[in-house]
Amino acid sequence: MISVRGLRKHYQVHQRPPGLKAALRSLVHRSYTTVKAVDGISFDIRPGERVGFLGPNGAGKTTTLKVLSGLLHPSDGEVTVDGHVPQKREEAFLKKIMLVMGQKQQLLWDLPPAETFELNRAIYDVPQAQYKKTISDLIELLEIGDLIVKPTRQLSLGERMKCELAAALIHQPRVLFLDEPTIGLDVAMQATMRTFIKEYNEKYGATLILTSHYMDDVAALCPRVIVIDKGLLSYDGGLDALVQRVRPEKRVVLRLSEEVDAARLSSLGRVVTHESGTAVLQVQQEAVNATVTRALSTLPVMDLTVENAPLEEVMSELFAESKARRTAASEPVPA
Amino acid sequence: MKVKRYLRLLGIQLKASGLLSLQYRADFFTEGLTSLFWTFTALAPLFVVYSERPNLEGWSFGEALLVVGWFTLLQGILEGAINPSLTGVVEHIRKGTLDFVLLKPADAQFLVSTQRFQPWRAFNVLTGVGLFVYAFMHLGRWPSVTGLLASVLLLGTSTLLLYSLWILTVSAAFFVVRVDNLTYLFTSIFDFARWPSSVFQGVGRGVLTLVFTYVIPLALMTTFPAQAMLGRLPPQSLVGAVVGAGLFAWGSRQVWLRSIRRYTSASS
């Protein structure tokens, strides 16, 4: 469905140091630096897959999505989406895709969302009967029946985002790019959006690429993740396998009926946290069984669970690792 | 088929703008009043100039009034149908929401050019027509049928020229991001169009007249249609206006397409 080979996107950015003198100088002589937003990544995505793009801010996620949706011309490399070259922006291609951006909106600000829906119906040439069916499905799934007749500016962020999503799906895109669709939403609304996105993917078999800062989004939606860092691909595979690789240790969470000496806990494994009757231990995977048995026999345990490290931690560790590698590589070799 | 689709799209965009302006009914009255006010301020210099002499570079008062009429009418079209949409483009570029326009399977120039209308500005168009009637009453005669037909044709070319000039201005927004100053410059230059172009003959040995005919074709927009109404426009000028406007529109389209290609959208 999607094929990316050696994608590069470099920008020329004008740079100048702060201060009036530098500002005046830059009027005459400008210095440019090249920003390598994406620096040679390759991957394939099958029809109907749900893939999460992960990476710190400025990693190149949004740039990649924009190249895939035809908004940016790649500096180098080959990209095809369902047989189309995105940058040509052919009508047939544009009718198959959609990009939803959590931080930008396409809804007409002063008019009710229903007007934007109608406009999109005309732009995408959606037959009237199909439009009615789709829109009533969307209204039901997203529970926006009474929202779409209010002017957009009167809606809350969450309500607006639901209507944004509906506006984006009127033409039933086969490929959906979601750039932080849940940003700024409360936990309940995030969950609603996730459920809806998953249902859409399953119902229409749409291919889905998602970027998000909320790891819960990725964990709930994407069996496969692609990690991009500083424009380079640093991981492509299952989410579970990624966690295994970066943080093979497990976490044993103990709820204790009475206070326990810190030394007794640390004899079992590394203590991550220990407060008000709950202790979290980090232990090697192969030691989990032994630790659990010992904990149950030696400590006043009320409840015990074994978990993976939180995704946020896994990610920050992964990014820290690659940063350390980069710094090491760029340091001059002592003579 | 394609034309039908775009006409339908235009209809929907017009409907949305109509709905929007109906929400602000008070605008109709303020628009009307400001339009009247500006028309009279536009006429004031004309009265001053013609109180001293009966004739200015071959234009009598009544004839010069026709030029002001065309200026007012075109201003109505500019501010009612061209300006609102294209100012919206600048906003789109700054906020990065032009992305959504480019994602749509329809011509981006068409979509941005039709996104917003201000129907109340039709008041200016009516004022322009009123000025025509008054001018001809003052002249004591009526235009010929061919003269009228030619001026209607020139209305088309003038609108096309204005629109193309705006597209060029807006295209600049892709390179400099802030085009507020450019749009002010445009409006102030357009102000020259309220005078018959021959008025500027004395300035810099006619250089200004040349500039306003060929570089920024203001003469084509207001002086030509007024001349056509008076039956004074040579046929070759009419042909020149049509061909010129067509070329200008084509050129601005090329610049727009090039600018879109350069567009790299504000960083997320």
Side-chain angles (χ1 to χ4, degrees):
Chain A
M1 188 54 130
I2 296 175
S3 155
V4 175
R5 290 282 162 277
L7 171 66
R8 269 173 228 281
K9 178 69 193 176
H10 294 181
Y11 295 101
Q12 291 283 324
V13 180
H14 163 224
Q15 269 198 336
R16 69 170 164 82
L20 182 64
K21 225 169 133 185
L24 287 173
R25 195 179 305 132
S26 82
L27 283 177
V28 189
H29 181 81
R30 299 207 142 197
S31 55
Y32 290 91
T33 45
T34 306
V35 174
K36 296 173 178 174
V38 178
D39 199 24
I41 62 174
S42 305
F43 57 85
D44 287 287
I45 293 174
R46 290 187 310 278
E49 249 192 301
R50 294 190 303 265
V51 179
F53 273 10
L54 295 175
N57 285 331
K61 304 179 301 262
T62 303
T63 304
T64 309
L65 284 190
K66 284 188 175 177
V67 169
L68 287 174
S69 49
L71 290 173
L72 291 180
H73 287 222
S75 309
D76 194 20
E78 276 172 31
V79 177
T80 58
V81 175
D82 202 16
H84 300 273
V85 176
Q87 74 208 68
K88 289 187 183 163
R89 296 181 45 237
E90 301 155 312
E91 285 199 4
F93 165 72
L94 293 172
K95 282 185 177 178
K96 283 182 198 168
I97 64 142
M98 190 59 206
L99 169 66
V100 176
M101 292 177 273
Q103 285 164 322
K104 293 174 189 171
Q105 58 154 9
Q106 65 160 325
L107 294 172
L108 300 167
W109 186 247
D110 291 308
L111 291 174
E115 296 297 330
T116 307
F117 297 170
E118 183 60 29
L119 184 63
N120 280 1
R121 185 197 71 76
I123 290 176
Y124 285 99
D125 270 331
V126 182
Q128 200 61 253
Q130 187 195 328
Y131 170 71
K132 281 199 177 122
K133 171 90 178 59
T134 314
I135 209 76
S136 68
D137 282 357
L138 289 171
I139 287 174
E140 196 189 312
L141 280 170
L142 288 164
E143 297 168 1
I144 49 172
D146 46 347
L147 301 179
I148 62 167
V149 289
K150 285 190 206 166
T152 304
R153 67 185 135 79
Q154 290 176 10
L155 302 179
S156 74
L157 178 63
E159 293 171 337
R160 218 159 62 211
M161 205 53 225
K162 287 206 275 188
C163 293
E164 274 294 321
L165 210 50
L169 298 177
I170 280 168
H171 62 293
Q172 295 183 1
R174 309 266 307 114
V175 183
L176 191 55
F177 304 113
L178 300 160
D179 193 16
E180 305 194 21
T182 56
I183 198 155
L185 303 185
D186 64 43
V187 182
M189 193 62 89
Q190 282 179 25
T192 314
M193 295 289 269
R194 264 176 232 141
T195 318
F196 173 76
I197 291 167
K198 197 166 178 179
E199 273 174 20
Y200 181 82
N201 156 265
E202 281 161 1
K203 192 169 171 191
Y204 297 99
T207 312
L208 208 138
I209 300 184
L210 170 100
T211 77
S212 180
H213 277 119
Y214 301 114
M215 290 303 157
D216 290 348
D217 283 350
V218 180
L221 284 172
C222 307
R224 174 181 166 195
V225 293
I226 290 177
V227 181
I228 305 174
D229 194 10
K230 295 284 168 201
L232 296 168
L233 194 144
S234 62
Y235 178 82
D236 180 358
L239 185 59
D240 295 338
L242 175 68
V243 176
Q244 283 290 322
R245 202 193 78 181
V246 180
R247 267 290 177 86
E249 301 91 356
K250 292 273 176 185
R251 294 201 160 185
V252 178
V253 182
L254 304 167
R255 281 191 55 218
L256 306 163
S257 55
E258 57 192 71
E259 282 307 312
V260 182
D261 199 37
R264 280 173 73 194
L265 282 172
S266 52
S267 70
L268 291 171
R270 194 171 77 76
V271 181
V272 182
T273 55
H274 178 206
E275 55 194 14
S276 60
T278 304
V280 180
L281 301 175
Q282 185 162 300
V283 293
Q284 295 299 324
Q285 202 168 12
E286 51 278 6
V288 168
N289 272 343
T291 310
V292 168
T293 321
R294 269 184 62 200
L296 288 174
S297 59
T298 59
L299 297 172
V301 176
M302 290 199 305
D303 187 26
L304 183 150
T305 49
V306 178
E307 296 168 357
N308 278 325
L311 262 179
E312 268 82 5
E313 270 181 38
V314 175
M315 285 304 137
S316 56
E317 192 165 322
L318 183 71
F319 301 146
E321 251 177 40
S322 54
K323 195 174 172 191
R325 261 204 312 276
R326 271 198 311 275
T327 334
S330 64
E331 249 162 41
V333 184
Chain B
M1 185 61 208
K2 208 163 184 178
V3 175
K4 219 171 117 187
R5 175 166 168 238
Y6 278 99
L7 279 178
R8 205 172 62 225
L9 276 178
L10 180 65
I12 289 174
Q13 303 259 57
L14 275 173
K15 192 188 116 197
S17 295
L19 286 177
L20 204 61
S21 41
L22 283 179
Q23 285 187 16
Y24 307 103
R25 207 176 29 170
D27 281 8
F28 178 71
F29 299 102
T30 45
E31 291 291 334
L33 281 176
T34 39
S35 168
L36 275 179
F37 176 75
W38 284 116
T39 308
F40 281 112
T41 45
L43 287 175
L46 213 62
F47 282 112
V48 174
V49 167
Y50 281 95
S51 66
E52 298 283 319
R53 63 201 76 144
N55 200 299
L56 182 64
E57 296 288 344
W59 291 78
S60 72
F61 175 72
E63 292 164 348
L65 210 54
L66 282 178
V67 178
V68 178
W70 276 100
F71 174 74
T72 311
L73 192 152
L74 283 177
Q75 209 173 30
I77 292 176
L78 176 69
E79 286 172 6
I82 300 176
N83 214 334
S85 286
L86 295 181
T87 321
V89 180
V90 180
E91 199 61 19
H92 270 319
I93 295 172
R94 244 172 17 87
K95 287 193 195 155
T97 43
L98 193 71
D99 288 349
F100 288 117
V101 178
L102 296 177
L103 282 170
K104 299 271 153 63
D107 186 74
Q109 189 181 344
F110 173 85
L111 286 181
V112 297
S113 303
T114 56
Q115 62 184 336
R116 188 83 188 270
F117 295 91
Q118 288 185 348
W120 299 146
R121 289 287 169 167
F123 206 97
N124 272 51
V125 177
L126 292 180
T127 313
V129 174
L131 280 175
F132 295 154
V133 174
Y134 178 72
F136 275 107
M137 275 162 57
H138 198 272
L139 289 170
R141 65 185 179 90
W142 295 104
S144 69
V145 176
T146 43
L148 266 185
L149 285 177
S151 70
V152 170
L153 178 64
L154 286 169
L155 172 64
T157 60
S158 301
T159 310
L160 192 60
L161 277 173
L162 255 185
Y163 169 70
S164 308
L165 274 173
W166 250 111
I167 283 287
L168 286 176
T169 313
V170 163
S171 297
F174 289 96
F175 300 88
V176 293
V177 179
R178 291 209 61 145
V179 291
D180 312 25
N181 300 333
L182 269 176
T183 58
Y184 285 130
L185 182 70
F186 181 82
T187 328
S188 3
I189 291 178
F190 181 62
D191 232 38
F192 282 107
R194 72 171 79 222
W195 297 99
S197 61
S198 57
V199 167
F200 303 106
Q201 251 159 16
V203 187
R205 293 186 193 158
V207 169
L208 214 51
T209 312
L210 281 179
V211 167
F212 288 157
T213 311
Y214 298 106
V215 186
I216 312 165
L218 295 177
L220 268 67
M221 290 185 217
T222 54
T223 308
F224 276 30
Q227 282 177 323
M229 276 182 156
L230 293 165
R232 291 208 304 230
L233 188 74
Q236 60 265 36
S237 292
L238 184 65
V239 174
V242 173
V243 174
L247 281 176
F248 216 82
W250 180 82
S252 68
R253 167 86 178 160
Q254 299 311 308
V255 172
W256 164 265
L257 290 176
R258 200 164 279 253
S259 310
I260 284 287
R261 236 171 284 149
R262 242 198 71 130
Y263 170 72
T264 49
S265 85
S267 171
S268 68

